[in-house]
Amino acid sequence: MDLLIILKDNLLPFLVILTALVFVHEMGHYLVARRNGVRIEVFSIGFGPELFGWNDRAGTRWRFSAVPLGGYVKMFGDADPTSSRGIGLEAMNADDRSASFHHKRLGQRTAIVAAGPIANFLFAIVLLAGLYTIVGQRHALPVIAEVTAASAAESAGLLPDDRIIQIGETEISEFDQLRRIVRSSPGVPLEFVIKRDRRLVNVVVTPTAAEGTDAFGKVATFGRLGVRGHAGEMVKHDPFTAVWLAMVETWSLTRQTLQAVGQMIIGARKTDELGGPLRIAQLSGTVAEAGLVSTIWFTALLSINLGLINLFPIPVLDGGHLLFYLAEAIRGRPLGERIQEWASMAGLSLVIGLMVFVTWNDIVQLRVVDFFGSLFS
């Protein structure tokens, strides 16, 4: 795909969505830190040199920076945006100690760090609940309307009018749940509980591994069952029901993401499915063209993934800080500064390596090298 088209059509939606998600994440840290009496020095959208900004009455510098791929909240006592310990913490007077992040109790520091990912999950729930209330949620019962010949479903003995009750430990109430589980399980035996003629039947089904085109336009391997459901309808929910269903959907998407990561780790899923900023930008433009509803749903999905990724126990991420705090709770004192420094360097190297890897995936899948080669041929 032409790189110039990608930049023109997709960069603006990508930056708008990413800025919103980063703002929500950092605002979670900011609000809980202020609630616990921590002085905030900088609230930045993006990294690097400041493009523009302003100071509020509390002395916080609100800024937009040149590299818009993330953001940070720098709290009093931090040496840098990664919240490493600054110099001179022990020499602070009582007033400065009361405003320093690193002098707060363990529970307070844990709450401040965890607030960012939690804010992303809550934001996703709010977006999905709003969609389910205003637009509605597509509802289709998990009842098989048709079984494709020579398919995994036919081989396992599934029949029309079978109702899927459960897959593994997951209770199934929507046909979309069946579709998502099967799609993420190519070649994996799944234990089905189905209702047939008023009786429950246990069936093991192994979805066929089939190649198809994903939302990024690249070939990927998916699970295929070979069944079709009945036509669904859009059902609007009251706000309380919508919030509950949004929480259930958020948990389901989180679990599927973790399952996909686990499959990549054990080699059951290809790592070239990992996408970086270029592919996310491409998909941002695609959903923006599809309309506001698709954009909101996509934003909720990205918010869930941002919150989840930040909880991974990798130093320099929120999950890495939480891992340090867990060790502190067990030991009764913090880990040594040298250990934390080495762990942070290793974590930063891992994050940079992952970014390089997914960006290379983007370059290969989007044929960026071919594009630049065509300019000189």
Side-chain angles (χ1 to χ4, degrees):
M1 183 177 294
D2 194 309
L3 181 62
L4 294 180
I5 295 177
I6 294 175
L7 294 176
K8 179 177 69 70
D9 295 343
N10 304 325
L11 185 58
L12 181 59
F14 169 65
L15 291 179
V16 170
I17 292 173
L18 182 62
T19 298
L21 296 182
V22 170
F23 177 80
V24 167
H25 181 92
E26 300 304 334
M27 184 57 70
H29 292 310
Y30 173 86
L31 291 176
V32 177
R34 288 295 303 271
R35 179 73 177 176
N36 284 277
V38 177
R39 187 188 310 161
I40 307 299
E41 295 183 334
V42 179
F43 188 112
S44 178
I45 300 296
F47 297 97
E50 177 180 321
L51 297 177
F52 62 91
W54 64 93
N55 294 326
D56 65 14
R57 293 181 179 179
T60 301
R61 180 66 178 177
W62 298 77
R63 55 186 286 184
F64 283 82
S65 301
V67 183
L69 299 178
Y72 61 91
V73 169
K74 185 176 182 295
M75 293 173 274
F76 183 61
D78 288 346
D80 51 49
T82 65
S83 285
S84 58
R85 293 172 63 86
I87 299 174
L89 292 177
E90 302 306 323
M92 285 183 176
N93 58 38
D95 288 341
D96 285 344
R97 284 173 176 265
S98 67
S100 169
F101 168 74
H102 296 280
H103 285 94
K104 294 301 178 180
R105 298 189 307 274
L106 176 60
Q108 292 175 303
R109 284 179 280 132
T110 300
I112 292 168
V113 171
I118 290 173
N120 283 122
F121 287 113
L122 292 177
F123 185 54
I125 291 171
V126 169
L127 291 178
L128 292 174
L131 284 180
Y132 296 163
T133 302
I134 299 171
V135 179
Q137 181 185 31
R138 182 165 297 281
H139 177 70
L141 293 175
V143 177
I144 297 174
E146 179 182 333
V147 177
T148 304
S151 64
E154 184 183 62
S155 299
L158 295 180
L159 301 173
D161 296 327
D162 282 348
R163 176 164 183 162
I164 313 301
I165 303 296
Q166 188 171 325
I167 301 178
E169 301 297 324
T170 304
E171 295 185 1
I172 306 298
S173 58
E174 297 280 344
F175 196 86
D176 279 346
Q177 289 178 278
L178 166 67
R179 182 182 293 110
R180 287 197 298 264
I181 292 174
V182 168
R183 186 178 176 85
S184 63
S185 306
V188 178
L190 300 174
E191 297 182 359
F192 278 53
V193 178
I194 63 175
K195 187 174 183 179
R196 178 185 297 165
D197 298 329
R198 299 184 180 181
R199 61 190 178 90
L200 297 180
V201 179
N202 295 308
V203 179
V204 176
V205 186
T206 303
T208 304
E211 286 192 345
T213 303
D214 66 8
F216 297 106
K218 65 178 287 291
V219 176
T221 302
F222 305 113
R224 179 174 295 167
L225 189 60
V227 299
R228 185 176 60 83
H230 295 278
E233 59 179 348
M234 297 299 291
V235 178
K236 295 183 180 180
H237 301 287
D238 64 84
F240 295 103
T241 302
V243 169
W244 169 251
L245 292 174
M247 292 171 63
V248 172
E249 181 70 4
T250 297
W251 167 246
S252 176
L253 291 171
T254 300
R255 186 169 59 179
Q256 290 173 44
T257 301
L258 289 174
Q259 180 184 17
V261 171
Q263 290 173 343
M264 289 181 187
I265 291 174
I266 66 175
R269 198 181 186 110
K270 295 180 180 179
T271 55
D272 62 2
E273 296 181 32
L274 289 172
L278 291 179
R279 269 193 278 178
I280 295 175
Q282 181 190 10
L283 191 53
S284 298
T286 301
V287 297
E289 291 179 358
L292 181 60
V293 171
S294 296
T295 302
I296 292 175
W297 197 94
F298 177 67
T299 303
L301 177 62
L302 281 186
S303 191
I304 292 169
N305 280 273
L306 179 60
L308 183 60
I309 289 171
N310 270 278
L311 286 176
F312 286 175
I314 301 173
V316 310
L317 297 181
D318 294 329
H321 291 292
L322 294 175
L323 184 63
F324 288 156
Y325 297 157
L326 176 61
E328 181 178 342
I330 294 173
R331 299 174 75 243
R333 64 183 187 279
L335 293 172
E337 290 189 21
R338 182 59 61 88
I339 294 177
Q340 294 192 43
E341 288 176 4
W342 280 104
S344 296
M345 291 177 60
L348 181 60
S349 300
L350 179 61
V351 170
I352 292 175
L354 180 60
M355 285 298 299
V356 170
F357 177 74
V358 297
T359 302
W360 176 253
N361 275 349
D362 291 351
I363 291 172
V364 172
Q365 299 298 331
L366 297 177
R367 302 181 183 278
V368 177
V369 175
D370 292 346
F371 166 76
F372 282 110
S374 67
L375 297 179
F376 302 98
S377 61

